[in-house]
Amino acid sequence: MGLSVMLAAGLRFEFAVPADKSGEILWFSALSAVVFVICGTVRGLYKGRWSFGSFEELSALVSAIGAAAAILWFIALLLPEQGTERPIPLSVPLIASTIMLCASAGIRYVWRLYYEKRMRPQSEGLKRVVVIGAGEGGQQIITAMVRNPAGRYLPVALIDDDPAKRNLRIRHVPVSGTRDDLASVAARHDAKIALLAIPTADSALIRVYADLARDSGLHLMVLPSASELYGAEVGTGDIRPVTHADLLGRHEVDTDVDSIAGYVTGKRILVTGAGGSIGSELSRQLYRFAPSSLVLLDRDESALHTVQLSIEGRALLDSRNLVVCDIRDTDRVNQIFEEHRPEVVFHAAALKHLPLLEMHPAEALKTNVWGTQVLVDAAIAAGVERFVNISTDKAADPCSVLGYTKRLAERLTAAAAHRSSGVFLSVRFGNVLGSRGSVLTAFTKQIEDGGPVTVTDPEVTRYFMTVEEAVQLVIQAGAVGRDGEALVLDMGEPVKIDDVARRLIGEAGRPIDIVYTGMRPGEKLHEVLFGADEVGSSPIHHRISHVSVPPLSVHQLPVAKADATDAETITMLREAVTRQDIRSTAM
């Protein structure tokens, strides 16, 4: 600052400073240096609080220089005049502050350019990347790539469909066109990888870019979805190949964290079926909301071992909150509710494989129907505040044992709403990608074995959703659901299974046959999310529809008889689903 004052004085007097003012200029320069050091200390410039050359440091520098200039200007103003002239012209502090700001900012700018050049990837075999999307995700990932000397990726161009971004540059990487220009941009920059840097991209958009990349001879990579990132910034470690879940089941989920925390945080929570695909992901996400206790119930001890490891990073199986139990066992379930006194219950335990349940309907009745009733009774006795039953789209206009039993579970849950002060509701959704026994798992194994890939019918369609997104909406539904309702999650557009098989075969790069096996008993050509007599509305969350569910008395449930044939059991289930003569006094 002292040098800036002397230079400012030289400019003020056209570098002909009067001899009688040289002394005043020198002591004012020394004073200005002290004043600036004090202002800089107050603003934290010398504490290493910000990265050198960062915008935060520049903001602190501007405020420190401004404060110093104001103080020096007032000092110059208060100095007694010598005749008709001031010993220090008032313009000197103002000119000096401008010189100081330009010099300081210039030094920082040059150093930052040097630093960023030194930090750019230097390793051999760099992969040149065209980044798709110049939004927040694109900015973060480009910054991460150019600041990693040992990184494998070098961004060379951006593409974005927004006309307002056509002249944009991010870390000197220019926007070079739109999606229609992907092939030419990649060829011009000798890029072999296209990176979709839009965490909110849904599966439809990813399929579009997957096709464009394939046609352009590019390898498409993606960033995790917004639901996987949980709001964290992206880095080069997040770059990964496109998965089947990205192509089929990725949807944007708008989660109201505050409403979720209101009924989960600090509560005693019980999850049944906690070792399953849905239950384990449900447990992991609930853990993030800091419940006072999280009780994980499953009849599979190995599954409990796995879920504890995924949540806590250890699996000593030494907690009373890990419960081995079969929900058919009334006495054991009551014992668990008495010990843990849960306030919120998520019921995800069920038998779910449709073909097997068609052959063993009595087992589905015992677990999916009577097991649910056991839990409902225990929850009412324990004064549970909220009970969320995990259902399926097969409960809408059911025609299978799985559909019948899950519809009965919905109706039993609705009946509990009339008997309890708590909120009892169901949440209904379709196929979950990555769950055990999913169609993708079967197709992948068949392709690895050389085929053939078996599809029931060339026209069959299904709804798909990733397990992370499905569970987020389940938890959200638990917050907005009303007593006795079934909440239906928006699964996007149904996907033709034949198209899925052909896409997977195309990625395999070798000819594999598709064999059509025909529809199995209980299967639908096209699943529906709403029954023929159901009308959904979305009064609270745009991706969650509410439908009313007619209650069903426990006295109207079929019983698994030892001497009943499978056909007779299925008939009893079908009749129970359509039964309407509710005896409210029996509830």
Side-chain angles (χ1 to χ4, degrees), residues 430-453:
N431 295 280
V432 174
L433 292 169
S435 62
R436 290 184 293 189
S438 69
V439 66
L440 286 184
T441 305
F443 284 173
T444 301
K445 183 64 170 63
Q446 289 174 335
I447 290 172
E448 289 175 353
D449 294 341
V453 172

Side-chain angles (χ1 to χ4, degrees), residues 168-179:
L168 180 67
R169 284 176 175 264
I170 299 174
R171 303 291 178 188
H172 307 293
V173 179
V175 173
S176 302
T178 65
R179 70 174 69 178

Side-chain angles (χ1 to χ4, degrees), residues 21-260:
K21 289 189 178 295
S22 297
E24 286 89 345
I25 296 296
L26 286 174
W27 74 258
F28 193 75
S29 297
L31 175 64
S32 67
V34 173
V35 170
F36 180 73
V37 168
I38 293 173
C39 293
T41 301
V42 172
R43 286 295 290 121
L45 284 177
Y46 314 118
K47 295 180 179 179
R49 185 177 297 172
W50 304 285
S51 299
F52 192 74
S54 66
F55 291 112
E56 293 84 358
E57 188 193 40
L58 182 61
S59 175
L61 179 68
V62 169
S63 62
I65 292 174
I71 293 171
L72 293 172
W73 187 85
F74 277 106
I75 291 175
L77 179 66
L78 296 175
L79 290 174
E81 296 184 1
Q82 299 175 353
T84 58
E85 294 184 351
R86 295 183 179 279
I88 302 296
L90 295 180
S91 60
V92 168
L94 302 180
I95 297 173
S97 64
T98 302
I99 294 172
M100 179 69 177
L101 178 61
C102 293
S104 299
I107 290 171
R108 284 165 168 79
Y109 176 71
V110 171
W111 183 91
R112 185 167 177 172
L113 286 179
Y114 167 75
Y115 173 78
E116 290 189 353
K117 183 177 181 180
R118 187 166 59 90
M119 292 299 292
R120 288 177 70 85
Q122 305 293 333
S123 58
E124 296 182 2
L126 280 176
K127 299 176 180 179
R128 300 171 69 83
V129 180
V130 175
V131 179
I132 302 168
E136 184 64 27
Q139 294 179 36
Q140 288 184 20
I141 197 61
I142 287 176
T143 300
M145 286 192 283
V146 301
R147 289 188 173 181
N148 185 1
R152 298 176 296 156
Y153 304 107
L154 179 67
V156 293
L158 278 156
I159 65 170
D160 197 290
D161 291 338
D162 185 355
K165 296 178 180 176
R166 62 185 177 183
N167 296 317
L168 180 67
R169 284 176 175 264
I170 299 174
R171 303 291 178 188
H172 307 293
V173 179
V175 173
S176 302
T178 65
R179 70 174 69 178
D180 296 330
D181 305 309
L182 178 60
S184 60
V185 169
R188 188 162 65 248
H189 292 275
D190 193 26
K192 302 300 182 185
I193 294 176
L195 171 61
L196 182 59
I198 308 175
T200 57
D202 61 13
S203 53
L205 182 61
I206 295 175
R207 287 196 296 270
V208 168
Y209 278 109
D211 293 338
L212 286 173
R214 184 185 63 246
D215 295 342
S216 305
L218 297 171
H219 179 52
L220 182 66
M221 308 283 279
V222 296
L223 295 178
S225 66
S227 61
E228 294 175 87
L229 289 170
Y230 297 131
E233 291 191 358
V234 297
T236 55
D238 295 314
I239 299 174
R240 59 170 172 76
V242 178
T243 66
H244 305 319
D246 295 324
L247 293 168
L248 297 176
R250 192 153 131 168
H251 309 282
E252 182 179 0
V253 178
D254 180 17
T255 303
D256 184 355
V257 175
D258 290 337
S259 68
I260 290 174

Side-chain angles (χ1 to χ4, degrees), residues 504-516:
L504 295 182
I505 291 172
E507 293 175 0
R510 53 196 172 116
I512 294 176
D513 293 333
I514 296 178
V515 174
Y516 299 104

Side-chain angles (χ1 to χ4, degrees), residues 27 53 61 68 92 117 221 276 293 338 345 393 403 425 427 432 455 491 511 520 525 542 563 575 577 579:
W27 74 258
L61 179 68
V92 168
K117 183 177 181 180
M221 308 283 279
S293 67
E338 289 173 5
V345 174
D393 58 356
L425 58 98
V427 180
V432 174
V455 178
M491 300 288 292
R520 295 172 294 185
L525 191 63
H542 69 284
D563 58 347
E575 291 175 350
V577 163
R579 195 167 292 146

